[in-house]
Amino acid sequence: MAPKIDPSDPLFLGASDVAGAALIPIKLTGSENYEIWEINNLHQGTDSVSTYFTELKNLWSEHDAVIPAPSCNCPKSKEYSEHLYQLRLIQFLSGLNDAYDQTKRQILMKGTTPTLNQAYAMIIEDEIQQLACAATISDKTEPIAM
């Protein structure tokens, strides 16, 4: 007599468990289905810091509309909000170009974690300095005659 297989066993294969069976009736097709995933993969690229930050804030607003944060005054709600703000700070910093690595390190090494707006202000200040430095260098490069 063959041993009986327990249907509650996680390795049990039922009659409907076949290769190619559709488990989810919705076809997932890219960014229309993955707005949250898009937030995690957004990078500055050739955009200015302010353009990149605005795109992130718009995506975060969409996220908050779909998945609102808990609104009670309980400690877990406060922990969730603080965690969400830290995640957004890390998302913002990690999507910046390598030119801002020094400023990103300074932000992350601060004794207290700055707010997202404070970090944004520091990065904008760095961007302004980089642009001013680039303009100064290009003004000084004149052809040298021999």
Side-chain angles (χ1 to χ4, degrees), residues 66-88:
V66 174
I67 306 171
S71 58
C72 65
N73 290 328
C74 60
K76 288 288 183 189
S77 176
K78 185 176 180 182
E79 284 178 32
Y80 175 84
S81 294
E82 288 174 6
H83 180 70
L84 185 64
Y85 293 134
Q86 287 180 349
L87 282 176
R88 289 180 177 179

Side-chain angles (χ1 to χ4, degrees), residues 100-131:
Y100 301 100
D101 281 351
Q102 178 73 23
T103 308
K104 289 191 284 188
R105 279 193 288 281
Q106 289 174 349
I107 290 168
L108 294 172
M109 289 175 51
K110 284 183 160 283
T112 57
T113 305
T115 65
L116 185 59
N117 287 337
Q118 290 169 335
Y120 171 68
M122 291 175 72
I123 295 293
I124 287 293
E125 186 176 313
D126 186 15
E127 182 179 52
I128 291 168
Q129 288 176 353
Q130 288 181 24
L131 291 172

Side-chain angles (χ1 to χ4, degrees), residues 17-32:
D17 294 326
V18 295
L23 300 176
I24 302 172
I26 302 169
K27 184 175 181 182
L28 301 176
T29 59
S31 65
E32 312 82 65

Side-chain angles (χ1 to χ4, degrees), residues 25-60:
I26 302 169
K27 184 175 181 182
L28 301 176
T29 59
S31 65
E32 312 82 65
N33 302 107
Y34 293 106
E35 281 101 12
I36 296 166
W37 180 82
E38 197 173 302
I39 292 172
N40 292 327
N41 290 314
L42 186 64
H43 295 282
Q44 180 186 0
T46 58
D47 293 336
S48 69
V49 172
S50 59
T51 302
Y52 162 66
F53 188 67
T54 301
E55 286 178 34
L56 266 178
K57 286 191 78 144
N58 289 338
L59 287 170
W60 289 333

